[in-house]
Amino acid sequence: MSNEIVTKVLESLRTKVSDFNYRNWFQNLQWEYSESNQVTVKVPSRFIKDWITDHYLELIKFEFFRQTEQEHTIIFKVERVVNRTMELFPEELKTTQVVPQAKPPVSVNVMAQKMSAPFGFNLKYRLDNFVVGTSNQLVHAACQAVARQPGISYNPFYIYGGVGLGKTHLLNAIGLEVHKLHPTWRIVSITGERFTNEVIGAIRFGKTDELRRKYRDTCDLLLIDDIQFIAGKDRTQEEFFHTFNTLYEARKQIVLASDSLPRNIAKLEERLKSRFSWGLMADIQSPDYETRMAILKRKAEEERVSLSDSVCSFIAEHVTTNVRELEGALVRVSAFASLAKLPVTLDLAQEVLKDIMHPSRSNLSVEMVQQAVADFYNLKISDLKSHRRHQSLALPRHIAMYLCKKHLEASLPEIGERFGGKDHTTVLHAVQKIQSHLETNTSLKGDVILLQKSLGV
Ligand code: ADP
Ligand code: MG
């Protein structure tokens, strides 16, 4: 009996999601139904659990409700696959005893991390693996110059740019390079936030002398990331001002990274603003398409993911804001492929990055909702805007209004206006009607879930 329910639910799910998704997300899971309206789904990894929860939980719950007329609790349990479950897996999965984790291949990175990193630097972020393009040429060249002749040409060296564009990578790279070229140099690398905390701690425990020694006397190269953090913190700025002066006079190299130009950092003391501008300031811009392609190829190589040109350009075309997101997209696609034991094809990348490509919500419009509802019920948009009250038109019209109210910032009068100039009370009535029917009418609920899915909300 309980198995039958699960089977029916799966059959129904099969008709509602693409083959691709069905195979990857539903077919291979182990479903356990208990009479107390609880369903435990054993999933092979945390990744799959999160994915299903985000994308399909509502739909699954709805299907159980449709089969039984009762609400169910769905619990996902992450479990390594035992032999019994392996039977459920298709042939190609049987070879693995333990479920595929998003196992990072043994790559340069992993090996690098195992080697000791001086001064806590990360061996992953080097000058030689920083991909250079027009957006970051200057800053990269300056980093090289600074690392070769610290304290001489560009002091201080101030790097600025938006989030995820490689500032931290470059600071780390300078540290590694200086250490390589000048092994005896004492390097201090810290973030503005930690520096602030150290100042607070030093004051509190009467250890300011120690702090000064660390930053002023026993430091040949000072790297501070996210320096904007000290703005508005008086004692920290005071302390940093003196540190800066001491190091600068002793011709020690200072490198700072920040999200904006000194003059645009609110509450940063004037004397610091001017000092930060004494040396070289270089900005990092968002990478252009060619650079994004090059970065992706480099990262894929480092992670030993084989990436075709079509997948690569697909990602580079759609993820444009910053490098961290670019990497995130690559990791997502390759983790997905490795977990699902599928090759990294364009189809797969499109599926996995659907959410990124349609961050929807913000750009969802009344027209899009109307179009989706019209398509769904085989109507024309003009039917939804008309004043005809036949049930076959009224219900879709009300659903469309409900979806607009729920997912758009639009007000009731605005929505009314866009539906052929209807009164706001008409819209309110429609929204309330759908809301109350949703609680009892499972077929309506199913329609709404599917419509929301098609709109990506
Ligand atoms: P920021 O500090 O500017 O916010 P990060 O230095 O943390 O950015 O960079 C985010 C990620 O992007 C890191 O993994 C970094 O290695 C990578 N990255 C950024 N720019 C490049 C580049 N030009 N070449 C290779 N990797 C890059
Ligand atoms: Mg950073």
Side-chain angles (χ1 to χ4, degrees), residues 79-93:
E79 235 175 56
R80 298 188 347 166
V81 178
V82 289
N83 282 339
R84 195 165 57 87
T85 341
M86 288 316 283
E87 305 301 320
L88 297 170
F89 279 67
E91 217 44 51
E92 74 266 28
L93 281 180

Side-chain angles (χ1 to χ4, degrees), residues 21 47 69 87 93 99 112 115 125 174-175 182 193 200 210 216 225 236 260 273 315 365 384 408 420 439 445-446 453:
N21 282 326
F47 173 82
E69 297 277 308
E87 305 301 320
L93 281 180
V99 154
M115 283 152 49
Y125 303 130
I174 293 176
H182 315 269
E193 181 172 12
I200 295 169
E210 224 168 89
R216 298 184 201 175
D225 201 357
T236 307
S260 45
K273 282 186 188 170
I315 299 177
S365 64
L384 297 177
L408 299 173
E439 286 166 20
K445 191 168 172 184
K453 258 193 112 45

Side-chain angles (χ1 to χ4, degrees), residues 395-406:
L395 181 68
R397 184 182 300 139
H398 292 165
I399 291 177
M401 288 175 171
Y402 164 83
L403 289 172
C404 286
K405 182 70 203 128
K406 188 166 169 205

Side-chain angles (χ1 to χ4, degrees), residues 61-78:
K61 279 186 167 170
F62 163 70
E63 287 300 334
F64 275 100
F65 186 78
R66 219 164 60 105
Q67 297 301 334
T68 61
E69 297 277 308
Q70 289 182 32
E71 292 288 341
H72 282 66
T73 316
I74 316 285
I75 298 170
F76 291 102
K77 249 172 128 174
V78 179

Side-chain angles (χ1 to χ4, degrees), residues 220-237:
D220 303 309
L221 167 64
L222 177 63
L223 302 163
I224 302 207
D225 201 357
D226 294 319
I227 187 70
Q228 75 276 1
F229 192 87
I230 71 168
K233 287 139 188 133
D234 294 346
R235 287 295 297 268
T236 307
Q237 296 196 83

Side-chain angles (χ1 to χ4, degrees), residues 124-125 129-133 135-136 161-170 225-226 257 284 287 291 295 298-299 302 322-325 327:
K124 236 170 103 172
Y125 303 130
N129 70 351
F130 188 81
V131 176
V132 181
S135 55
N136 56 28
V163 62
L165 296 179
K167 301 182 297 294
T168 302
H169 181 129
L170 286 172
D225 201 357
D226 294 319
I284 316 188
T291 314
I295 291 174
R298 162 65 62 89
K299 300 277 172 191
E302 283 180 2
N322 74 52
V323 181
R324 190 171 299 139
E325 282 177 11
E327 280 182 358

